[in-house]
Amino acid sequence: MGSAAKHNYLPAANPQPAFWGRDVDEFHNHRTTPELPQETDVLIIGAGYAGTATAWHLVKDRNPSKAKQTVTVLEARGICSGATGRNGGHLRPDLYGHIPTYIKRAGLEAAVELAEFEIAHVPALKQFIEQEKIDCDFVLSRCIDVWSNEEAAKNALQTYETLKGHSLAYMNDVFFKYGADAPGISGAKDAKATASYTAGMMWPYKFIRHVLKSLVASGDINLQTHCPVTDIKPEGDSFVVKTARGSIKAGKVIHANNAYVGGLLPEYASSIVPCKGICCRITVPEGKVAPAMTTSYIERDADKTLSYLIPRPDGSIVVGGASFLFKPNIHEWYDNIDDGVLIESAKHYYDGYMQRTFAGWEDSDAKVDQIWTGVMGYSYDSNSHIGAVPDRPGHYVIAGFNGHGMPVIWLSGKGLAKMINDDVPFEKTGVPRLLKTTKDRLERAQSGKEEHGDILGDGSVFPLGR
């Protein structure tokens, strides 16, 4: 059966520029060959984090006893122009925020498996970046969580105590403080509670560009930018993949296009919905002084508006979120793939943000230097979809990261590559069971009857589906 798109899920032609893409070079629009190759063993749709991670592990982790596979990566726009190149650069594992929900849904073992998988990304990426000598401003640091709402702070304390009660080893890395000392410890003026744990910060675009350049230079992949896929049809034991620049025959197809996956796989349209978010860069004018920041943040103000923040080595701040403000205006963000238009109801939230939030910034004159939006893929049950596409032999998916792909994608790509390279089932990949894409998960999303996910990352839920 064909897979013509039910919805037009091709990325917008004119996305707003993001800070991360300000030093793009000619590789941004790279085409390894002037024309598409006629055929490839494995075709990857998407040259962002998911597609790049999977391509790297397909090539580098291949079984030497098997014939080398040809790998082609197709990108609708320039490299890393989707969510990866528009995010907050925050490599932050979720140690406890959503874990109680996962414990209730799937049990302690499955929930801990997911938490430890995310935690493992921090040392794994640090080691990889150092090994490959990648210049991407990576910093290993602490992330500070802040709750400035009294009710939310008490709930956070309860969550912390509950997880400590399970004697989880990874909780030894979490420091938590509730009460009058929270502002002094966190630096956030109105903090009622604060926590900290190990995390990382990086320049995502530079990371992806380096990895893709390495794969192209070694002849391991054929990269084709500005080549949107419009349809896929089976032909014998392979597929004819149609693009805006012609067709290519593929033995296997990996859907690594996150928010746009429902276009070519309509059965995922209810499971992974495109949702827009907002992010910006804040700078301090020359001659002004602001306190040096060395940690990243998840900050929730008194109104429970959540922001994620990283300090940059150049002294600027990258911060995004504010979904609580635009949640009621569904048309601005929900099932919306236009990253060329800002979210109107939140675009001024970060004006004066540093001054009103952090001690010592009051006279800094910090201002928003650049603001942009991006399209994320939010899943119905809050879990990503990794693995073989049900009832579509030869199709694989790695998508639906809920705006939280940084500590999920690298090792998920490694696991998916293992499925293909070694012909092993999902259960032998090392990817948490909750992330396995299944027919049951797809059908639950289509029915809309089961508990849905935390679509905005602020602890609230929103009914997904069309």
Side-chain angles (χ1 to χ4, degrees), residues 83-419:
T84 307
R86 315 180 74 77
N87 69 20
H90 201 184
L91 177 59
R92 180 193 72 89
D94 179 10
L95 307 189
Y96 57 86
H98 290 143
I99 301 306
T101 299
Y102 297 142
I103 292 174
K104 291 177 184 176
R105 291 182 183 178
L108 181 63
E109 185 177 344
V112 172
E113 186 177 82
L114 183 55
E116 292 179 342
F117 182 72
E118 293 194 15
I119 292 167
H121 276 74
V122 179
L125 281 165
K126 177 181 181 292
Q127 180 182 8
F128 177 72
I129 289 167
E130 292 175 348
Q131 169 191 308
E132 297 298 317
K133 297 179 172 57
I134 302 176
D135 177 14
C136 63
D137 291 354
F138 178 82
V139 176
L140 181 67
S141 183
R142 300 286 286 180
C143 177
I144 295 180
D145 271 21
V146 174
W147 293 265
S148 295
N149 175 284
E150 183 64 36
E151 178 188 6
K154 289 180 178 178
N155 289 338
L157 174 61
Q158 183 177 358
T159 296
Y160 173 77
E161 292 177 340
T162 297
L163 292 179
K164 286 288 285 186
H166 287 300
S167 300
L168 303 179
Y170 73 75
M171 289 298 291
N172 290 329
D173 186 54
V174 180
F175 172 80
F176 191 96
K177 191 70 175 181
Y178 170 85
D181 291 337
I185 293 171
S186 68
K189 292 186 284 189
D190 298 327
K192 303 295 187 295
T194 187
S196 71
Y197 44 90
T198 303
M201 301 174 272
M202 62 193 295
W203 189 310
Y205 182 92
K206 286 185 176 181
F207 174 82
I208 298 302
R209 181 175 61 187
H210 183 107
V211 176
L212 287 174
K213 275 187 175 182
S214 177
L215 289 171
V216 167
S218 61
D220 288 316
I221 68 169
N222 186 312
L223 171 63
Q224 296 287 330
T225 63
H226 301 282
C227 190
V229 176
T230 57
D231 195 19
I232 305 173
K233 284 186 166 57
E235 185 178 274
D237 58 357
S238 59
F239 306 94
V240 174
V241 179
K242 295 184 178 181
T243 81
R245 293 175 44 228
S247 298
I248 177 173
K249 189 174 182 179
K252 295 180 176 68
V253 178
I254 298 174
H255 299 259
N257 49 343
N258 200 23
Y260 307 94
V261 73
L264 295 167
L265 295 174
E267 62 266 47
Y268 281 83
S270 296
S271 291
I272 300 175
V273 177
C275 297
K276 287 171 61 175
I278 200 165
C279 195
C280 70
R281 177 179 182 245
I282 294 174
T283 59
V284 175
E286 188 175 349
K288 289 290 184 176
V289 178
M293 281 188 162
T294 59
T295 61
S296 61
Y297 283 85
I298 295 292
E299 185 270 331
R300 306 160 186 84
D301 68 16
D303 294 326
K304 300 183 181 180
T305 301
L306 182 148
S307 297
Y308 50 86
L309 177 156
I310 70 166
R312 297 269 311 119
D314 63 6
S316 66
I317 304 292
V318 172
V319 58
S323 57
F324 186 79
L325 298 177
F326 58 78
K327 183 166 69 170
N329 304 316
I330 296 175
H331 68 282
E332 287 193 289
W333 60 274
Y334 180 76
D335 199 11
N336 186 328
I337 59 172
D338 189 355
D339 53 9
V341 178
L342 278 176
I343 298 175
E344 190 69 24
S345 53
K347 70 180 185 180
H348 295 300
Y349 176 74
Y350 292 107
D351 294 341
Y353 173 79
M354 299 302 293
Q355 292 92 320
R356 68 177 181 264
T357 305
F358 295 100
W361 282 78
E362 292 83 357
D363 298 322
S364 66
D365 285 351
K367 292 180 174 60
V368 174
D369 171 71
Q370 188 175 359
I371 187 166
W372 61 91
T373 187
V375 183
M376 301 165 284
Y378 274 86
S379 72
Y380 182 81
D381 57 11
S382 292
N383 294 321
S384 306
H385 283 263
I386 316 292
V389 175
D391 299 330
R392 286 188 188 258
H395 286 264
Y396 299 83
V397 66
I398 174 168
F401 300 107
N402 305 287
H404 189 63
M406 294 295 286
V408 175
I409 291 174
W410 184 251
L411 296 179
S412 291
K414 183 179 181 69
L416 184 59
K418 185 176 180 62
M419 287 184 73

